[in-house]
């Protein structure tokens, strides 16, 4: 049977609960346990796919094509295992299931209520995702005391009762605010938030304290006393330079031992050295490279989370610190902001705002022989830029932005045209891609078939493919069953590659994505004034 660790948050949101949960999981994985992670989101949307990145940050896509909370990205990156649609669910999904059951008459004769029907559904989803694992770490979104998260916290309480004390652990992540005037960290908000948790019937076993300053032994003792836990169960989580250091910080405080003891779980191993040395390399890079990310959600910290992280991993592969500069393509003076770029990346996106600026950035990369990496929309725009400026197909466009364009070099497939509902109806999840021999992609992957994740509706229009390829923008990766373009590369350029899929979702610090590490390699060569020679024509596959 699985054991459960519930992670709740107190005081304020954005405390890095996801990172704390993933770090706990990493430590337990290092002790030889089979661990999984789940995220419960208390909002009513069925999934975050229909939400604006301004509100919710990036939408993370799993192998099985679920559009999920970005914390699942952290889970995959920390654990180096794939998550599935079962690892993330929302209040919307829970209600949808319960209401469908009610309509089918499965509760006939009963009043359908939050307790027990909604909480039962939550528990059964948690148990399902935990199946086959020694420990399931369940992160509950929101902050304790929110109306929305109540049923989830209640379900956590009930589940604890069902499985017994030695099989469940409650972790509360809180903030100790620093008051500059009196130069002290304050514990009162934590006491109140633990009080809130107690009102619902949960006593936390472990308290993770986020703070800008070190927590003194006195303060730890105070929190322990007020919150009724052992002193060792008060864990510090100070700000660190890289999120990947958090498991190391926890380990130094014996958190893995604490958790194992509280869960009465025997450990079978101790394997944490490779992670630690990865963190050391990350903190002490020998080189530096400047990457411009040209996007439109540049003001939102989490909008391009996986791209940011994949770039960091690409840097790790070359012992390089990746300095990312976010350029808002809807703003003016784009040209000036590209100055000093060793590489340019255009990430995914929807809608036409900022498109012209992105096209300019791509043109600058193409003509200036600056390494370019396009992701999804970044590939579609690379095709549009090429069609307009090299093939002189005036106003060539994607039908997403101009339905009446004379040259629809990016278009929607007939099956997508029929789609009228927005949720979960894009081309989603993992598809195989056949890679052309001798291409940049082939060299990077070292393989001729790869699997990559998708999230888009539009595709390169095959009507224009021959024309575009003959001019020099080659299709070097395809989804063979439908002959869809998956990768394009430019001949006569040091490194210009764009993908219809999202490689960023599959990059991990322990296994940097080959395309990200090749891109950073090319950018680094440019930074050192040793740009690789243009590659010439590719062999036919
Ligand atoms: N808007 C484009 C499409 O739907 C690209 C999507 C993306 O970049 N994820 O095809």
């Amino acid at each position: 049977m699985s054991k459960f660790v519930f992670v709740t948050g107190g005081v304020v949101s954005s405390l890095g609960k996801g990172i704390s949960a993933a770090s706990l999981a990493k430590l337990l994985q290092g002790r030889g346990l089979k661990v999984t992670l789940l995220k419960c989101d208390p909002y009513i949307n069925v999934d975050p796919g229909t939400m604006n990145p301004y509100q919710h940050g990036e939408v993370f896509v799993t192998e099985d094509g679920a559009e999920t909370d970005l914390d699942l990205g952290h889970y995959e990156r920390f654990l180096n295992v794939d998550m599935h649609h079962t690892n993330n669910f929302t209040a919307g999904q829970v209600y949808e299931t319960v209401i469908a059951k009610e309509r089918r008459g499965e509760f006939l004769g009963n009043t359908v209520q939050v307790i027990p029907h909604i909480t039962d559904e939550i528990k059964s989803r948690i148990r399902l995702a935990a199946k086959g694992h020694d420990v399931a770490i369940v992160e509950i979104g929101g902050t304790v005391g929110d109306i929305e998260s109540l049923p989830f916290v209640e379900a956590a309480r009930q589940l604890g009762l069902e499985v017994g004390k030695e099989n469940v652990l409650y972790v509360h992540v809180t903030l100790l605010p620093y008051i500059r005037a009196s130069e002290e960290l304050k514990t009162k908000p934590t006491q109140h938030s633990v009080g809130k948790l107690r009102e619902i019937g949960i006593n936390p076993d472990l308290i993770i304290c986020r703070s800008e300053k070190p927590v003194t032994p006195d303060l730890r003792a105070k929190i322990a006393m007020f919150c009724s836990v052992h002193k060792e169960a008060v864990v510090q989580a100070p700000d660190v330079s890289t999120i990947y250091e958090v498991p190391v910080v926890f380990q130094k405080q014996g958190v893995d031992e604490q958790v194992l003891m509280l869960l009465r779980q025997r450990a079978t191993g101790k394997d944490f050295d490779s992670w630690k040395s990865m963190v050391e390399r990350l903190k002490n890079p020998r080189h530096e490279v400047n990457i411009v990310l040209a996007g439109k959600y540049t003001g939102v910290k989490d909008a391009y989370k996986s791209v940011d992280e994949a770039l960091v991993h690409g840097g790790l592969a070359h012992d390089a610190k990746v300095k990312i500069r976010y350029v808002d393509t809807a703003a003016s003076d784009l040209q000036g902001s590209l100055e000093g770029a060793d590489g340019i990346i255009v990430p995914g996106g929807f809608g036409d705002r900022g498109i012209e600026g992105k096209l300019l950035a791509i043109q600058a990369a193409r003509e200036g022989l600056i390494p370019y990496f396009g992701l999804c929309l970044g590939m579609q725009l690379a095709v549009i830029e090429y069609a307009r400026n090299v093939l002189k197909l005036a106003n060539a466009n994607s039908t997403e932005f101009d339905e009446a364009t004379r040259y629809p070099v990016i278009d929607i497939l007939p099956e997508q045209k029929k789609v009228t509902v927005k949720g979960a109806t894009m081309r989603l999840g993992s598809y195989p891609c056949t890679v052309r021999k001798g291409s940049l992609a082939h060299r990077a992957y070292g393989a001729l078939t790869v699997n990559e994740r998708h999230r888009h509706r539009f595709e390169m229009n095959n009507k224009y493919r021959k024309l575009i390829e003959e001019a020099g923008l080659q299709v070097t990766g395809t989804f063979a069953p439908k002959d869809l373009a998956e990768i394009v590369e430019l001949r006569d350029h040091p490194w210009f590659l764009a993908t219809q899929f999202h490689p960023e979702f599959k990059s991990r610090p322990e296994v940097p994505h080959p395309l990200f590490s090749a891109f950073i390699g090319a950018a680094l060569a440019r930074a050192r004034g040793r740009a690789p020679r243009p590659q010439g024509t590719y062999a036919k596959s």
Side-chain angles (χ1 to χ4, degrees), residues 348-350 375-377 380 400 426 455-458 502:
F350 297 84
L375 308 173
C376 204
L377 180 65
Q380 299 175 355
E400 179 179 4
M426 283 187 261
R455 182 175 185 247
H456 60 106
R457 283 187 210 285
F458 293 79
H502 289 272

Side-chain angles (χ1 to χ4, degrees), residues 141-418:
T143 306
V144 167
D146 293 350
I147 292 178
E148 287 96 335
S149 53
L150 253 177
F152 290 92
V153 183
E154 166 62 15
R157 184 192 69 83
Q158 291 176 15
L159 211 141
L161 220 56
E162 289 166 17
V163 297
K165 191 67 204 111
E166 65 285 1
N167 294 315
V168 67
L169 191 75
Y170 297 101
V171 178
H172 194 52
V173 184
T174 103
L175 174 74
L176 302 182
Y178 179 68
I179 307 295
R180 227 161 281 274
S182 57
E183 294 184 355
E184 54 180 349
L185 291 172
K186 289 293 190 187
T187 65
K188 191 72 83 190
T190 297
Q191 294 174 39
H192 280 297
S193 130
V194 168
K196 270 259 165 275
L197 210 49
R198 287 216 195 108
E199 272 173 31
I200 314 165
I202 291 178
N203 266 317
D205 302 289
L206 206 72
I207 299 183
I208 297 180
C209 302
R210 296 278 291 112
S211 68
E212 309 172 31
K213 303 272 175 193
V215 183
T216 59
D218 281 0
L219 218 54
R220 260 179 110 176
K222 186 173 169 188
I223 296 168
M225 189 188 61
F226 277 108
C227 302
S228 210
V229 296
H230 295 294
K231 229 165 72 182
E232 297 71 37
V234 180
V235 179
Q236 307 198 36
D239 296 340
V240 278
S241 58
T242 154
I243 51 172
Y244 301 117
E245 197 178 352
V246 178
V248 181
V249 171
F250 283 2
Q251 198 212 24
K252 276 193 192 133
Q253 298 175 66
V255 174
D256 46 344
E257 291 298 338
Q258 274 291 314
V259 172
L260 290 170
M261 185 197 72
L262 291 164
L263 281 179
R264 295 177 186 63
Q265 174 76 41
R266 225 181 301 146
T268 53
K270 202 157 198 167
D271 170 23
F272 198 50
D273 290 347
S274 63
W275 185 270
K276 270 192 190 150
S277 69
M278 179 274 290
V279 172
E280 277 316 301
R281 277 192 294 125
L282 199 54
K283 287 172 69 182
N284 303 293
R286 286 191 298 155
H287 315 289
E288 194 173 286
V289 68
N290 290 299
I291 301 297
V292 162
L293 186 148
K296 74 170 170 178
Y297 304 115
T298 47
V300 198
K301 210 180 116 262
D302 285 339
Y304 302 113
K305 193 83 222 154
S306 293
V307 179
D308 291 349
E309 293 305 321
L311 285 169
V312 170
H313 308 158
L316 248 174
H318 295 276
D319 232 337
K321 178 181 175 63
V322 180
K323 290 176 96 175
I324 308 172
R325 199 159 78 228
Y326 302 91
V327 169
D328 179 0
T329 48
S332 54
D333 189 31
L334 187 84
Q335 219 66 29
S337 49
L338 297 179
E339 204 103 325
D342 301 316
I344 295 175
I345 192 159
V346 172
F350 297 84
D352 60 3
R353 201 173 60 80
I355 290 298
E356 296 303 320
K358 288 180 188 168
L359 288 169
L360 279 177
I362 295 169
Q363 186 177 5
R366 182 176 57 78
E367 292 177 351
L369 301 183
I370 305 168
Y372 173 72
F373 195 9
L375 308 173
C376 204
L377 180 65
M379 170 185 133
Q380 299 175 355
L381 294 177
V383 172
I384 293 170
E385 192 278 325
Y386 204 73
R388 285 188 190 178
N389 298 329
V390 179
L391 295 170
K392 306 291 178 207
L393 303 178
N395 300 321
N397 216 332
S398 162
T399 48
E400 179 179 4
F401 313 128
D402 178 4
E403 270 191 70
T405 176
R406 192 152 165 218
Y407 304 110
V409 290
I410 305 294
D411 200 8
I412 198 160
L413 290 184
E415 67 233 42
Q416 272 291 338
K417 246 183 216 159
K418 289 187 234 134

Side-chain angles (χ1 to χ4, degrees), residues 375-500:
L375 308 173
C376 204
L377 180 65
M379 170 185 133
Q380 299 175 355
L381 294 177
V383 172
I384 293 170
E385 192 278 325
Y386 204 73
R388 285 188 190 178
N389 298 329
V390 179
L391 295 170
K392 306 291 178 207
L393 303 178
N395 300 321
N397 216 332
S398 162
T399 48
E400 179 179 4
F401 313 128
D402 178 4
E403 270 191 70
T405 176
R406 192 152 165 218
Y407 304 110
V409 290
I410 305 294
D411 200 8
I412 198 160
L413 290 184
E415 67 233 42
Q416 272 291 338
K417 246 183 216 159
K418 289 187 234 134
V419 171
T420 50
V421 280
K422 289 276 185 242
T425 51
M426 283 187 261
R427 184 175 172 217
L428 284 167
S430 185
Y431 287 86
C433 167
T434 310
V435 177
R436 191 190 290 186
K437 230 187 205 148
S439 61
L440 289 176
H442 180 211
R443 256 169 279 172
Y445 282 116
L448 290 172
T449 316
V450 294
N451 290 289
E452 293 284 2
R453 300 183 195 172
H454 294 251
R455 182 175 185 247
H456 60 106
R457 283 187 210 285
F458 293 79
E459 309 278 353
M460 180 173 171
N461 187 343
N462 278 342
K463 248 176 53 195
Y464 295 90
R465 185 146 136 201
K466 196 157 173 265
L467 194 67
I468 290 171
E469 286 212 81
E470 276 171 6
L473 186 66
Q474 314 229 314
V475 174
T476 60
T478 53
F479 173 52
K482 290 195 172 167
D483 196 27
L484 297 174
E486 292 280 16
I487 309 175
V488 298
E489 297 179 19
L490 201 57
R491 221 166 46 195
D492 302 328
H493 189 288
W495 208 91
F496 187 107
L497 184 151
T499 61
Q500 185 54 77

